[in-house]
Amino acid sequence: MTARIQYLDRVIAQPDFWNNPTLAYETLQEIEYFIFYKHQQYQRWCSILEDIKAALELLELSDDEELWQEAQTNLIQLQQELETAEIRQLLSDPHDEKAALLTITAEVDNADSHYWAYMLLQMYWRWGKSHNYQVDVVEISEGNEGGIKYATLEITASYAYGYLKSETGTHQLQQISPFDVTNSLRTSLTSVEFIPILDESIEWKILEKDLQITRWQCNSRNINRSETWVKVVHIPLGISIFCNQERNQMQNKEKALAILKSKLLAMSTTGYAYALAQNVEQIDQIQPRQIKPLSNKLIREYILHPYTRVKNLRTNVETTVTTEVLDGKINLFIKAYLQQLNHTTSVSTEALDNFK
């Protein structure tokens, strides 16, 4: 941290520093982040550590169960915060610091797949809450026998996308089906997609001719919140966004358009290699049949029977503590992926393969 501040100080000292106002502003923002946020964070860790040391000294004199529990809680909290800070050091992409939009889709329309999609929804919900992130349901479609067919979550926090981009892909579950009286072993697939949520600084508009907007038509003054839905379809690519979580149709429309905008930008970013290969200059020229989502790639296996194991197929990191993983403790997979990503110096062959 000290070395980075010293480097930024040398940048400011350059005579042409103010020639580029945008770069100057970004540099000053980074300095503010290091001086204020990082310093406060460091002071907080020192304070927690001192509390733990004081508690241990007191516990040597007397056996106090309440004090012991407090020390354990502080230690777990400190470990989690240090782990999060360590992972953040691996984030360098411009989109990493943005909030994230999560879409979960059951690959097959049956009870087992719907249940698996719901389990993943809970896993990411718990991960977000354990990091004190705001997690909101944007759209959800329930299965006929429980579970969900698909759902969209908005995770609002700095660096949410950077942490969770590693989770994009297909997740496979192997377990004894709770819906089969014969107790047969079933395999279920669910696709997971994380994209960064754009902010208002991105000056890019979707052409009105490319949009089809459908609203619930109301002929009564008695309006329920569920009846304020808005559906937005991007006609060229066939992307559909349904939003009914806001208080009125205007808010639902704005939310749906913001989600669509984020999806389109994410598509044009991840599909860049493909667009170049096909000589496609505008995203509207890309046809739906030409798009191969990144979420189609199998990235992780969850085995609950005949033994327990969760394995990431890209990094080979695995654990047998499946209950903890499904409870939202997925940082070991996130960290391993980001470490692998940071050690890659050439163009990612995976990104190219997805758009061939």
Side-chain angles (χ1 to χ4, degrees):
M1 183 174 70
T2 302
R4 183 60 179 173
I5 292 176
Q6 290 174 347
Y7 167 76
L8 294 172
D9 186 53
R10 291 196 297 270
V11 171
I12 292 177
Q14 297 299 316
D16 60 346
F17 175 72
W18 296 105
N19 291 351
N20 187 335
T22 301
L23 183 60
Y25 177 74
E26 291 176 353
T27 303
L28 293 174
Q29 273 193 317
E30 186 175 358
I31 290 175
E32 181 182 13
Y33 167 76
F34 274 110
I35 292 176
F36 292 101
Y37 175 77
K38 285 287 190 181
H39 180 70
Q40 289 179 356
Q41 191 179 54
Y42 175 73
Q43 293 291 349
R44 171 180 169 77
W45 293 337
C46 288
S47 177
I48 295 175
L49 186 59
E50 289 300 321
D51 288 343
I52 295 172
K53 290 166 63 178
L56 292 176
E57 290 175 359
L58 291 173
L59 285 169
E60 289 181 355
L61 302 175
S62 63
D63 187 12
D64 188 326
E65 181 64 26
E66 185 176 344
L67 190 60
W68 171 248
Q69 291 295 333
E70 181 183 340
Q72 281 190 313
T73 300
N74 284 337
L75 181 58
I76 292 172
Q77 181 181 353
L78 181 61
Q79 287 175 327
Q80 289 178 340
E81 292 190 17
L82 289 173
E83 182 181 56
T84 301
E86 184 180 7
I87 294 174
R88 182 170 294 188
Q89 298 302 314
L90 301 171
L91 303 177
S92 57
D93 187 273
H95 292 308
D96 284 345
E97 63 184 24
K98 297 186 182 298
L101 194 71
L102 160 65
T103 302
I104 296 175
T105 308
E107 291 292 298
V108 181
D109 189 14
N110 61 35
D112 287 295
S113 292
H114 297 165
Y115 179 57
W116 175 222
Y118 178 68
M119 290 171 68
L120 286 174
L121 178 68
Q122 285 187 311
M123 184 179 77
Y124 292 118
W125 181 281
R126 290 165 179 166
W127 181 91
K129 291 300 183 181
S130 69
H131 287 73
N132 297 317
Y133 289 176
Q134 180 178 335
V135 184
D136 298 304
V137 177
V138 175
E139 178 184 9
I140 191 165
S141 175
E142 297 180 356
N144 297 329
E145 300 179 56
I148 59 169
K149 296 180 180 179
Y150 63 86
T152 301
L153 294 183
E154 183 178 8
I155 303 177
T156 307
S158 296
Y159 292 94
Y161 173 70
Y163 291 130
L164 294 168
K165 64 184 180 182
S166 63
E167 296 298 295
T168 292
T170 298
H171 296 241
Q172 177 178 288
L173 172 70
Q174 178 180 300
Q175 69 166 356
I176 297 294
S177 172
F179 303 98
D180 191 339
V181 294
T182 63
N183 292 326
S184 60
L185 191 64
R186 295 287 179 86
T187 299
S188 302
L189 298 172
T190 291
S191 65
V192 172
E193 181 184 46
F194 279 95
I195 63 172
I197 298 178
L198 303 180
D199 53 39
E200 296 178 356
S201 65
I202 305 297
E203 296 181 0
W204 177 64
K205 293 184 179 180
I206 305 171
L207 298 177
E208 290 188 12
K209 68 180 183 66
D210 291 339
L211 294 175
Q212 179 182 21
I213 301 177
T214 308
R215 301 177 177 86
W216 181 80
Q217 299 298 320
C218 174
N219 298 316
S220 169
R221 293 183 178 180
N222 183 22
I223 302 176
N224 295 322
R225 187 173 180 180
S226 61
E227 296 169 341
T228 61
W229 60 263
V230 173
K231 181 180 180 182
V232 176
V233 178
H234 187 265
I235 300 171
L237 298 182
I239 299 175
S240 176
I241 307 295
F242 180 89
C243 191
N244 68 343
Q245 300 300 311
E246 304 297 331
R247 294 182 178 275
N248 56 60
Q249 286 189 338
M250 180 60 71
Q251 290 175 329
N252 278 321
K253 177 186 174 183
E254 291 176 353
K255 174 69 72 176
L257 287 172
I259 293 172
L260 177 61
K261 187 176 178 182
S262 295
K263 281 182 173 287
L264 288 175
L265 184 71
M267 182 184 301
S268 64
T269 300
T270 56
Y272 185 66
Y274 174 83
L276 287 179
Q278 300 297 319
N279 196 28
V280 177
E281 297 180 356
Q282 300 294 330
I283 188 172
D284 291 347
Q285 295 176 251
I286 302 176
Q287 299 300 313
R289 62 182 175 80
Q290 296 174 315
I291 302 169
K292 187 178 180 182
L294 293 174
S295 57
N296 283 356
K297 190 175 185 65
L298 182 62
I299 67 163
R300 192 174 300 154
E301 293 177 335
Y302 305 71
I303 300 176
L304 303 185
H305 189 85
Y307 55 91
T308 60
R309 186 188 73 182
V310 180
K311 181 177 181 179
N312 193 298
L313 303 179
R314 294 169 302 183
T315 61
N316 290 324
V317 170
E318 60 180 80
T319 178
T320 58
V321 191
T322 56
T323 53
E324 289 191 3
V325 172
L326 294 173
D327 197 40
K329 295 178 175 60
I330 57 174
N331 278 354
L332 74 161
F333 300 117
I334 294 173
K335 181 180 176 181
Y337 174 82
L338 292 175
Q339 287 176 329
Q340 184 182 79
L341 197 64
N342 274 261
H343 282 85
T344 303
T345 56
S346 60
V347 177
S348 170
T349 55
E350 178 181 341
L352 293 173
D353 289 342
N354 277 288
F355 293 94
K356 286 182 179 178

